[in-house]
């Protein structure tokens, strides 16, 4: 279920900036060129809860968004596993 939500969220994000068309998602793995993030149980919608990220979408590069998602997913997954 979370993988379908993440696909929908990524497709919505792509509407803000054509630069984001470089991002793809398959089986809940987000990809940008050779870089991949296994989102596991991370819900992309959560990155919009704490700050107004979408206000910066127009000026953002795909790599910057990828890095933001990567950091948030790593923190979420690490907290879930009790590593942090």
């Amino acid at each position: 279920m979370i993988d379908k939500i993440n696909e929908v969220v990524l497709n919505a994000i792509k509407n803000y900036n054509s630069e984001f068309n470089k991002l793809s998602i398959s089986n809940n793995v987000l990809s940008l060129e050779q870089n991949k993030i296994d989102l596991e149980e991370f819900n992309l919608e959560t990155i919009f809860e704490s700050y107004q990220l979408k206000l910066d979408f127009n000026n953002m590069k795909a790599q910057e968004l990828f890095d933001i998602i990567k950091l948030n997913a790593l923190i979420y997954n690490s907290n879930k596993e009790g590593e942090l």
Side-chain angles (χ1 to χ4, degrees):
M1 180 72 172
I2 194 75
D3 56 330
K4 298 299 180 198
I5 292 170
N6 286 342
E7 286 179 29
V8 169
V9 171
L10 182 62
N11 286 333
I13 290 170
K14 288 180 177 182
N15 291 326
Y16 285 92
N17 184 336
S18 62
E19 171 77 12
F20 300 151
N21 289 324
K22 296 176 183 177
L23 298 165
S24 63
I25 194 166
S26 178
N27 296 321
N28 216 26
V29 175
L30 183 69
S31 301
L32 175 65
E33 298 166 356
Q34 303 299 328
N35 301 308
K36 297 184 185 314
I37 306 167
D38 185 351
L39 298 176
E40 296 180 34
E41 295 181 26
F42 181 69
N43 182 340
L44 284 176
E45 286 182 312
T46 62
I47 63 174
F48 301 106
E49 292 175 357
S50 61
Y51 55 95
Q52 295 286 336
L53 179 63
K54 62 185 171 185
L55 295 177
D56 296 323
F57 279 169
N58 291 334
N59 301 317
M60 194 178 289
K61 300 287 183 199
Q63 184 65 54
E64 293 168 324
L65 179 58
F66 183 87
D67 291 342
I68 290 169
I69 293 170
K70 180 178 180 178
L71 179 62
N72 280 273
L74 287 172
I75 291 169
Y76 173 84
N77 291 326
S78 292
N79 284 338
K80 189 169 181 268
E81 296 171 8
E83 294 177 7
L84 289 179

